[in-house]
Amino acid sequence: MYKILEKKILNKDVTKMIIDAPLVAKRCEAGQFIILRAKDDSERIPLTINDYDRKKGTISIVFQVVGEATIELNKLCEGDEIETFVGPLGKKTDLDGLKKAIVIGGGLGSAIAYPLAKAMKEKGIDVTSICGFRNKDLIILEDEFKKVSNKLIITTDDGSNGIKGFVTDRLEELLKVGSDYDAVYVIGPLIMMKFVSLLTLKYNLKTIVSMNPLMVDGTGMCGGCRLTYDGKIKFACVDGPDFDGHKVDFDEAIYRNNIYKDFERKRKEDCNLLK
Amino acid sequence: MNSEKKVEMRVLDPEYRRHSIDEVSLGYSKDEALIEASRCLNCKNKPCVQGCPVNIDIPAFIKKIKEEKFDEALTIIEKESSLSRICGRVCPQESQCEKYCVRGIKGESLAIGRLERFVSDNVIKNNNNIDIVKNGKKVAIIGSGPSGLSCSYDLIKLGYDVTIYEALHLNGGVLIYGIPEFRLPKKIVSDEIDKLKNLGVKFINNCVIGKTLLLSDLINDYDAIFIGSGAGLPRFMNIPGENLNGVLSANEFLTRFNLMKAYLENAKTPIFKAKKYAVVGGGNVAMDAARCALRLGASEVHIIYRRSMNEIPARLEEVIHAKEEGIIFDTLVLPVEIIGDENHYVSKINCVRMELGEHDESGRRSPVEIPDSLFSIDCDAVIMAIGTSPNPLLKETSEGLITNKRGCLVVNEDTLETSIENVYAGGDAVTGAATVILACGSGKKAAEHINEKLSKRG
């Protein structure tokens, strides 16, 4: 069992938890994920690691309360225990040879982009962060990003805070100026990662996306997380989660992500917890 | 009574079991077991034993059944096998012990597997009276599947401190995530695990060796290590349409069904439910997947296999049960493409017909495509059950650990020691996907060699 040491509501849909998991904290790196089950009969869900403290042996996770599994998780309080918490899974983000980079986080993706920006900062890499949210009420981790970014741009779709528009608009502005970026790292909804990748392809700029498909075990056993990469089947859990965004078949990833939407709809109808 | 035939084992009615996860085979009663045991000719040269991967003294335990000394029969079995309740159910006896039974020459061979199951189901044994003298040495086992469990059983009895590391939240490996409840009730698996826990075996779940901890961490902390991490990486056919919604590996489908109990009415883990399933492959995993699909309410389930019924590798009893339940066997058929609808969900699978040609290296006649034989089978889900390979996680993170080109760990065949000293391996991680009993046998053999080496060290 894995104790919840701290729980913080970041906005109405997003919660942060700090979990006591010394074995996971011992070796985890930015870009890796964990799989958890809140309770004994809960579904296994993957969540990317938001932060870690090796000395304290803790892992921080940030999750959006969207489906049954995250609702169950969000019902747990400080002092409660999580049934299953396994990791670190997947490969760490490769930052070798990087001098200047752009980190893009979309919505909840910002929670995962944050440890990446932090890792870059620690390595002395010049970091420009672009964080996009639907509106001002959904902005998370702004202070944290400020600390680790040489430049931080916040955008909102409706202009209620920061600059109005999508992250791609701000990215294009940066790229038009033609600064010497080595790479773009983008974490967020599939559709956002797709359009960022399409844009950077025009500028021939290396782009790393973090895929977060459905999976069961997270160790290469189920193959549910497979995606087409450069024409070949890859498993996001063991080959990723980071991939070159220019080689990922996003349209396929988008429809594969919806495979259980009927099940989820039916659970919502049947289950009082979800009403 | 016709002594040329086995005593039939009672099974649930096929119509009932299509909708139930209850165990299909009901086992022998005492009277049935006694009649069947009386068919044993007690041959002096014991041909059946050579067919048993763990060399159980079969005529000896059957003699004890005849004498109604069932607990003594179990003692004989347990000298060689710690998982007899499981192996009595899942061993392919027809190609092992029963294949060599002299009774089989003129009629049906003795039902050795059913008798093994009868004994282990009906003797309640208390392991607490086993005297264990601790020797102060520590062994780590990677994976809680059949090979790891059997290795742990022998080592704990020899006095070792044994810890099993398991990636999943439940113990048992393929016995839990792969083999379905209706073939191997999970209560039996958890009972066997509890027996080991009572003997002192420690289990650490949610720990992926190669990620959470590295093999080198274990090497620092233990005197020896046994790798029984299985063959869990699913293969796909690499045909067009394989990433459509509704195409699943058998591993994913079975893990959702068995480990996550997605068949339950109120399950929180989703599973892909379809009206018509096509399951590709002819092994036990294919049979399991097909029969699970039926139990999810499918109206039609096809097994698509590229060779003929004669070559089908699944256990005979599973093929018979699958047929009784109404699974359709499309043999000598090879899928070439999966077709999807406008929403990217599977709508049919295109196949070609095959005929058997020359014998290949496996000794079987290899299937050859019949020209212009393209046809399609309507279905809304496709399950790929065409085999698995060992997971590369451990190899990728363990310097000096050598695998062959199929990804299987290379071991010294006599001792099962890998390329790293004091690190042993067995089961599917070494052989590629094989049987529970072979894995048990290798776990046992590794335990013997670990003990031999560590005892010498003093």
Side-chain angles (χ1 to χ4, degrees):
Chain A
M1 300 287 268
Y2 306 83
K3 200 171 193 172
I4 301 167
L5 301 174
E6 213 181 302
K7 178 180 176 184
K8 195 175 166 190
I9 310 295
L10 298 187
N11 69 35
K12 69 178 176 53
D13 295 328
V14 179
T15 303
K16 175 176 171 172
M17 282 180 180
I18 295 178
I19 314 292
D20 180 40
L23 280 186
V24 185
K26 190 178 163 192
R27 195 166 269 124
C28 72
E29 300 280 355
Q32 291 190 294
F33 66 95
I34 56 97
I35 284 201
L36 67 76
R37 275 187 327 145
K39 297 195 295 182
D40 191 38
D41 62 347
S42 304
E43 190 183 355
R44 292 171 67 99
I45 52 163
L47 289 174
T48 308
I49 293 167
N50 160 256
D51 207 350
Y52 55 87
D53 187 326
R54 291 203 213 284
K55 276 200 201 113
K56 290 184 187 155
T58 59
I59 295 285
S60 127
I61 50 170
V62 173
F63 57 94
Q64 191 161 13
V65 187
V66 275
E68 187 169 11
T70 44
I71 291 174
E72 280 181 340
L73 179 61
N74 201 37
K75 286 209 173 233
L76 299 178
C77 305
E78 279 177 15
D80 288 346
E81 290 186 321
I82 293 177
E83 188 69 30
T84 299
F85 195 85
V86 54
L89 301 169
K91 297 194 161 118
K92 66 172 186 173
T93 301
D94 181 10
L95 302 175
D96 284 352
L98 217 55
K99 289 193 185 66
K100 192 171 179 184
I102 299 173
V103 174
I104 303 177
L108 182 74
S110 299
I112 305 150
Y114 165 68
L116 188 59
K118 185 179 156 199
M120 287 179 180
K121 182 79 182 171
E122 281 165 6
K123 291 192 88 170
I125 297 163
D126 181 300
V127 183
T128 299
S129 299
I130 309 176
C131 298
F133 303 93
R134 285 205 311 277
N135 62 54
K136 68 174 173 26
D137 298 331
L138 300 176
I139 294 174
I140 54 171
L141 302 174
E142 189 173 357
D143 291 339
E144 283 88 342
F145 264 106
K146 264 184 199 150
K147 282 185 204 144
V148 299
S149 310
N150 297 64
K151 183 178 181 184
L152 171 65
I153 302 166
I154 301 269
T155 72
T156 48
D157 297 358
D158 65 356
S160 53
N161 189 302
I163 305 164
K164 182 176 161 124
F166 297 121
V167 293
T168 37
D169 302 333
R170 301 289 83 77
L171 176 63
E172 183 143 36
E173 281 174 13
L174 290 177
L175 298 183
K176 270 184 184 156
V177 178
S179 298
D180 46 350
Y181 297 105
D182 299 314
V184 175
Y185 289 75
V186 48
I187 303 158
L190 285 168
I191 194 77
M192 186 193 97
M193 296 199 286
K194 173 184 168 175
F195 281 102
V196 168
S197 299
L198 285 172
L199 175 64
T200 54
L201 190 60
K202 284 200 295 191
Y203 291 87
N204 197 23
L205 178 60
K206 181 177 156 187
T207 299
I208 304 297
V209 297
S210 176
M211 303 300 281
N212 186 21
L214 298 166
M215 56 180 78
V216 184
D217 61 294
T219 62
M221 207 178 88
C222 78
C225 67
R226 66 192 187 276
L227 49 93
T228 301
Y229 177 81
D230 208 10
K232 296 188 191 74
I233 290 183
K234 293 278 178 193
F235 290 0
C237 67
V238 286
D239 299 319
D242 288 357
F243 291 95
D244 179 341
H246 297 153
K247 294 179 182 168
V248 171
D249 183 340
F250 281 105
D251 294 339
E252 179 187 275
I254 288 167
Y255 73 67
R256 283 186 62 80
N257 210 29
N258 288 326
I259 180 167
Y260 292 117
K261 68 174 193 293
D262 285 347
F263 174 89
E264 284 154 16
R265 194 180 303 130
K266 187 161 184 311
R267 282 296 292 174
K268 268 189 188 157
E269 286 163 16
D270 293 352
C271 178
N272 291 329
L273 178 70
L274 298 168
K275 276 169 191 161
Chain B
M1 184 201 107
N2 180 354
S3 66
E4 285 184 9
K5 288 209 157 216
K6 288 178 183 177
V7 175
E8 290 280 335
M9 181 153 57
R10 286 164 294 119
V11 293
L12 290 177
D13 176 60
E15 197 40 52
Y16 170 80
R17 68 190 198 228
R18 283 168 64 102
H19 311 287
S20 160
I21 57 134
D22 294 351
E23 187 174 18
V24 167
S25 302
L26 301 172
Y28 278 161
S29 66
K30 184 176 149 191
D31 289 346
E32 288 166 331
L34 289 174
I35 297 170
E36 183 60 25
S38 73
R39 293 180 65 230
C40 179
L41 301 170
N42 202 8
C43 308
K44 277 222 162 54
N45 59 348
K46 306 179 179 184
C48 48
V49 178
Q50 61 171 290
C52 175
V54 294
N55 298 311
I56 293 174
D57 190 342
I58 294 162
F61 95 73
I62 289 173
K63 185 161 173 280
K64 292 293 176 193
I65 298 179
K66 289 181 192 170
E67 296 166 3
E68 299 193 33
K69 292 176 181 161
F70 304 129
D71 49 346
E72 288 178 35
L74 185 61
T75 306
I76 292 168
I77 295 171
E78 287 199 337
K79 257 199 265 174
E80 313 302 337
S81 168
S82 56
L83 301 173
S84 56
R85 287 190 81 188
I86 293 164
C87 293
R89 286 172 164 80
V90 304
C91 262
Q93 289 94 1
E94 72 274 11
S95 54
Q96 296 179 352
C97 50
E98 294 179 20
K99 182 177 169 185
Y100 298 93
C101 177
V102 173
R103 279 270 179 211
I105 299 170
K106 275 179 69 183
E108 287 183 355
S109 33
L110 189 71
I112 299 168
R114 294 173 188 176
L115 290 172
E116 179 187 20
R117 170 177 166 173
F118 167 78
V119 169
S120 55
D121 275 358
N122 287 283
V123 179
I124 297 159
K125 223 178 156 186
N126 191 352
N127 262 325
N128 296 335
N129 53 21
I130 298 183
D131 257 341
I132 295 177
V133 184
K134 285 282 170 199
N135 65 15
K137 296 192 179 86
K138 291 166 71 187
V139 179
I141 293 176
I142 302 172
S144 67
S147 69
L149 294 179
S150 100
C151 188
S152 78
Y153 180 67
D154 283 14
L155 288 172
I156 200 89
K157 284 192 297 181
L158 289 165
Y160 290 89
D161 181 288
V162 183
T163 306
I164 300 186
Y165 290 86
E166 168 56 48
L168 292 173
H169 57 269
L170 292 179
N171 298 310
V174 73
L175 306 172
I176 283 289
Y177 76 74
I179 304 176
E181 176 79 19
F182 55 82
R183 196 148 82 80
L184 177 64
K186 299 308 147 216
K187 173 75 169 67
I188 293 178
V189 182
S190 59
D191 283 353
E192 296 300 320
I193 301 220
D194 286 344
K195 269 203 298 197
L196 293 169
K197 283 183 180 166
N198 288 335
L199 289 173
V201 177
K202 286 169 270 186
F203 289 84
I204 297 180
N205 290 86
N206 309 318
C207 188
V208 185
I209 306 302
K211 287 289 173 191
T212 314
L213 292 173
L214 301 184
L215 184 61
S216 54
D217 295 327
L218 299 184
I219 292 172
N220 288 336
D221 289 351
Y222 292 89
D223 296 292
I225 289 144
F226 174 75
I227 303 172
S229 49
L233 203 72
R235 285 194 208 126
F236 288 91
M237 290 188 75
N238 294 314
I239 57 173
E242 230 170 352
N243 281 1
L244 286 165
N245 284 350
V247 185
L248 311 158
S249 73
N251 260 7
E252 177 178 0
F253 186 68
L254 290 173
T255 302
R256 288 178 183 275
F257 192 98
N258 299 317
L259 178 75
M260 305 310 294
K261 297 200 166 19
Y263 57 82
L264 294 174
E265 189 62 34
N266 263 317
K268 293 171 182 172
T269 295
I271 192 162
F272 197 85
K273 286 188 185 173
K275 287 196 177 66
K276 291 185 183 180
Y277 288 84
V279 179
V280 184
N284 286 322
V285 173
M287 301 303 135
D288 287 344
R291 296 170 70 197
C292 286
L294 209 58
R295 283 156 176 79
L296 288 175
S299 60
E300 198 176 301
V301 182
H302 294 253
I303 291 267
I304 300 178
Y305 179 53
R306 66 196 180 116
R307 301 182 199 247
S308 78
M309 282 312 284
N310 295 328
E311 287 82 23
I312 220 155
R315 202 171 166 256
L316 182 64
E317 189 179 314
E318 311 314 326
V319 176
I320 293 170
H321 287 168
K323 281 188 173 167
E324 285 171 356
E325 288 167 15
I327 307 283
I328 300 160
F329 283 74
D330 294 302
T331 53
L332 289 167
V333 170
L334 179 75
V336 290
E337 183 176 10
I338 303 163
I339 308 293
D341 64 16
E342 65 281 8
N343 297 316
H344 311 281
Y345 281 79
V346 171
S347 62
K348 63 179 180 177
I349 183 164
N350 286 347
C351 305
V352 289
R353 299 207 182 271
M354 313 293 279
E355 59 188 354
L356 293 178
E358 298 295 311
H359 290 267
D360 64 13
E361 68 264 31
S362 73
R364 298 178 296 181
R365 293 177 66 194
S366 65
V368 184
E369 184 183 334
I370 300 173
D372 303 320
S373 62
L374 188 74
F375 72 106
S376 61
I377 299 171
D378 287 340
C379 58
D380 32 30
V382 175
I383 298 171
M384 289 295 173
I386 53 167
T388 52
S389 317
N391 196 314
L393 270 186
L394 201 56
K395 183 211 155 47
E396 283 171 3
T397 54
S398 310
E399 207 182 322
L401 191 65
I402 295 175
T403 56
N404 67 17
K405 62 175 193 295
R406 292 183 300 135
C408 302
L409 292 170
V410 174
V411 294
N412 175 323
E413 280 182 30
D414 295 325
T415 63
L416 300 186
E417 195 165 10
T418 64
S419 50
I420 301 177
E421 204 188 351
N422 295 327
V423 177
Y424 296 74
D428 287 3
V430 172
T431 56
T435 59
V436 170
I437 190 67
L438 279 172
C440 289
S442 68
K444 205 179 156 56
K445 184 172 167 185
E448 189 186 318
H449 288 283
I450 288 170
N451 182 46
E452 202 180 297
K453 190 159 181 186
L454 294 188
S455 315
K456 266 188 217 152
R457 222 167 60 179

